[in-house]
Amino acid sequence: MEGLDLGAMFLQFLLLWFLAIGGPSTIFPDIHRYVVEAHHLLTGEQFAEIYTVAQVAPGPNAMYVTLIGWYLAGWKGVIATTIPLLIPASTLTMLVGHLNERYPDAPIFRAIRRGLMPITIGLVFASATILMRTVNHNWRGYLITLVTVAVVLRKPWNPLWLFAGGALAGILGFV
Amino acid sequence: MLNQTLAQQSSHKTAVTQLQLFIAFSRISLSSFGGAIFWTRRELIERQRWLTERDFLEIYTVGQLLPGPNVLNLTVMVGYRFAGWSGAASAVAGFLGWPCLVVVGMGILYQNYGRLPYVQQALGGMSSVAAGLLLATVIKLASVLPRQWRPWLFGVLAFIGVGVMRWPLLWVMAALAPWAVFAAWKYE
């Protein structure tokens, strides 16, 4: 934990988030490199545990950076690691959102939205299959995933019940 | 005045207040287990009916081009669309404020109880459900795509590049996006 410089970490994270086109997963390796390899603030094992906890917590998956901040320096650390993730969204995104609302029929915006929509769907489908292969270790895991898909597409039930069911199946040793 | 009337006619926006945005995005963030996009879609399209499937996909697509978490970018743009700057701020406060507190709380719990075996097992079962929610989301969103070969081709190529070949997202986007935008410009 020696050599913790919150200001430098803030700037480094800020730079990374401005480069994170396509989402948090694109800069995951760089955050790992900074925190674990370059500055030895956390061990690789601690980093992995923090990441897992944040995946389970409700909210965007990027919140693992918040938890890293908390482990390193309490609430000050939370600020140093979380504010950088907000800055691109509150500057660049706001500007683009403004232009898009102002000129919704501009041909260039229309072409971008129409043209890239299918790519978005392909990318989300890719994430879904990667996640499915990462978390499911046997046919029973895949069965839970497929049952979830079938239920969500056919029933208006609150999917939190599915999570409860998944947790129960895990505890009973089904997966 | 005239401009304003025209703008209102062309967009058919429902009136949404800052408080409503804050509450809706709080509900999204607090139920977002295993990724936020499923819950965001469900809240904005199915529960509140603020957006159509196509609106949602368009905003999400723009959000994906910008740096940072995609759903956070969507949160900013949806808040801004319905209630301006303060709407965006309210939506973001709901979307990120609670998860900040909860993730720290869970970190503390995990330090104390995380190594209990049944916690790990429960997490395993819940991850399988999370994967299913993401798959269901993409199936619902894909219903918006026109029944033409070109959009589907780009979708399939993006999937193969990132999901099968595991090439970096930035390369795949750089290779496909210009063609996709050009085709939409030229043929639609």
Side-chain angles (χ1 to χ4, degrees), chain A residues 17-26 49-50 52-64 66-67 70-71 75 78 82 85-86 88-90 92-101 104-105 107-108 110-136 140-142 144-146 148-149 152-153 155-160 162-173 175, chain B residues 10 13 28-39 42 54 57-62 64-70 72-74 76-77 80-81 84-85 88-89 92 95-96 99-104 106-108 110-111 115 118-119 121-146 150-152 154-156 158-159 162-164 166 169-170 172-173 176-178 180-181 184-185 188:
Chain A
W17 281 114
F18 268 108
L19 300 175
I21 294 171
S25 53
T26 49
E49 280 187 358
I50 288 174
T52 310
V53 172
Q55 296 309 291
V56 174
N61 293 340
M63 299 309 283
Y64 75 92
T66 303
L67 201 50
W70 169 262
Y71 271 74
W75 290 111
V78 167
T82 312
L85 117 105
L86 263 171
S90 49
L92 209 54
T93 307
M94 199 72 124
L95 180 69
V96 171
H98 174 75
L99 292 174
N100 194 37
E101 293 297 320
D105 299 318
I108 182 65
R110 190 189 288 257
I112 288 175
R113 291 191 308 250
R114 292 266 167 85
L116 297 186
M117 259 183 345
I119 295 185
T120 302
I121 289 180
L123 294 178
V124 181
F125 188 55
S127 313
T129 55
I130 291 172
L131 182 64
M132 189 168 71
R133 277 179 290 172
T134 313
V135 299
N136 293 331
R140 290 184 297 245
Y142 282 97
I144 293 182
T145 300
L146 293 178
T148 304
V149 174
V152 169
L153 292 181
K155 304 281 180 192
W157 303 339
N158 189 329
L160 289 178
L162 291 167
F163 274 108
L168 193 66
I171 291 170
L172 297 176
V175 264
Chain B
S10 62
K13 281 188 283 198
I28 290 169
S29 67
L30 288 173
S31 41
S32 285
F33 294 95
I37 181 173
F38 169 82
W39 298 93
R42 181 181 150 93
R54 166 172 281 266
L57 191 55
E58 283 189 359
I59 299 179
Y60 186 75
T61 298
V62 176
Q64 194 151 44
L65 296 176
L66 296 163
N70 302 335
L72 178 63
N73 289 331
L74 177 135
V76 169
M77 287 187 282
Y80 185 80
R81 165 177 289 199
W85 305 94
V92 168
F95 186 67
L96 279 189
C100 253
L101 300 177
V102 173
V103 83
V104 169
M106 290 196 50
I108 295 168
Y110 185 83
Q111 280 183 316
R115 285 172 193 83
Y118 59 82
V119 174
Q121 288 171 352
L123 295 185
M126 288 166 76
S127 317
S128 300
V129 172
L133 293 186
L134 196 55
L135 265 182
T137 304
V138 76
I139 292 171
K140 287 186 182 184
L141 288 176
S143 67
V144 178
L145 287 189
R150 199 175 286 109
W152 286 88
F154 284 116
V156 169
F159 166 72
V162 173
V164 181
R166 307 295 280 267
L169 178 77
L170 218 50
V172 175
M173 280 301 262
L176 289 180
V181 173
W185 175 286
E188 283 180 32

Side-chain angles (χ1 to χ4, degrees), chain A residues 6-7 9-10 66 69-70 72-83:
Chain A
L6 285 181
M9 191 158 77
F10 179 93
T66 303
W70 169 262
L72 294 180
W75 290 111
K76 267 191 228 160
V78 167
I79 292 169
T81 54
T82 312
I83 299 291

